[in-house]
Amino acid sequence: MAIEAHQHDGATQLPLANWGVGRSHVTGRGAVVYVDDDFGTCKSFSRRFSDEFQVAIVGSATAALSEIDRRDDIAVVISDYQLDGADGLTLLREVRAARPEIITMLASAYTGRDVAIAAVNEAQVFRILEKPLEEGATRKALRQALEETRRRDSLRMFNAPAAALQDTLGLLAHELNTPLAAVRGSISGLRNWFIQPSPGPRGSRPSGRASW
């Protein structure tokens, strides 16, 4: 099947494949963005995995950031480690800072110990994929990433009403507490005023003010 590429904001992309037999029917966020400055590698990724996943390909870190800025359906970003004018780790750190809900993966043929440690500790990548990408391992990683996305989104939706209720109760408590504090202050002032002894000669009877 021929795949036609097109340009968007300086990024080379492939159209999303049509849904078909074997595709995982993901609702909400489900798109996978693959970042590599080699167009042949990008085309190969789309050709191999667009039968099951929504795939968009971009050719630079700048184009990738533009893509995640304009789309809210992105679940996964996979970046090659060596990009033209940048490195994949820097990109994935920026993706995480801008959209922490997006799962990130690093693809590299040169993943040494230092790179792997930085990927986990700094960029907090979900998986490190060794290039050339092995299809079975990559599919498994993508399925796990989308499952994790669904889990996180479900948890976020479950927690959202509770967080909203907590905010509302906090605001209500503040609104109620403000006049109550004013009333308590007034009562305290009145009590202090009533219990003060009236000035007069020593030994004289106190004034007719009632004690509180």
Side-chain angles (χ1 to χ4, degrees):
M1 179 180 66
I3 301 177
E4 180 183 358
H6 64 278
Q7 297 289 127
H8 177 82
D9 293 339
T12 305
Q13 297 178 287
L14 300 181
L16 300 181
N18 294 327
W19 294 108
V21 176
R23 176 177 293 279
S24 66
H25 294 270
V26 180
T27 59
R29 294 189 304 120
V32 176
V33 176
Y34 184 76
V35 190
D36 198 308
D37 54 12
D38 182 81
F39 183 56
T41 301
C42 285
K43 284 202 301 182
S44 174
F45 184 90
S46 183
R47 185 165 52 247
R48 295 166 70 189
F49 300 108
S50 62
D51 63 328
E52 183 177 357
F53 308 101
Q54 289 180 285
V55 175
I57 59 173
V58 294
S60 69
T62 301
L65 293 173
S66 175
E67 193 74 0
I68 70 166
D69 183 60
R70 76 180 188 87
R71 296 178 57 172
D72 59 6
D73 64 334
I74 296 173
V76 183
V77 172
I78 304 175
S79 177
D80 185 28
Y81 177 66
Q82 292 186 325
L83 298 174
D84 186 18
D87 69 82
L89 275 183
T90 299
L91 168 62
L92 295 181
R93 282 195 293 265
E94 292 181 6
V95 169
R96 181 169 179 78
R99 298 276 300 278
E101 76 277 11
I102 293 178
I103 290 177
T104 58
M105 301 190 203
L106 182 69
S108 177
Y110 314 98
T111 308
R113 180 174 178 272
D114 292 342
V115 172
I117 292 174
V120 174
N121 292 343
E122 299 177 20
Q124 299 184 26
V125 299
F126 184 74
R127 293 286 186 274
I128 299 176
L129 305 175
E130 185 178 356
K131 295 178 70 176
L133 298 179
E134 197 278 316
E135 185 166 342
T138 303
R139 284 186 185 275
K140 181 179 179 180
L142 287 172
R143 289 167 185 160
Q144 290 173 339
L146 292 179
E147 182 63 30
E148 177 65 12
T149 295
R150 288 190 287 270
R151 187 192 71 81
R152 293 181 185 181
D153 287 352
S154 296
L155 187 62
R156 190 177 297 110
M157 291 177 63
F158 178 79
N159 288 335
L165 178 60
Q166 185 175 2
D167 290 343
T168 301
L169 290 176
L171 178 61
L172 181 60
H174 173 75
E175 294 298 326
L176 289 175
N177 194 48
T178 299
L180 287 176
V183 170
R184 284 196 299 267
S186 298
I187 292 175
S188 177
L190 287 171
R191 186 178 70 173
N192 292 337
W193 185 83
F194 272 108
I195 66 176
Q196 286 179 356
S198 61
R202 186 174 180 179
S204 63
R205 297 178 60 186
S207 68
R209 294 178 182 174
S211 60
W212 189 251

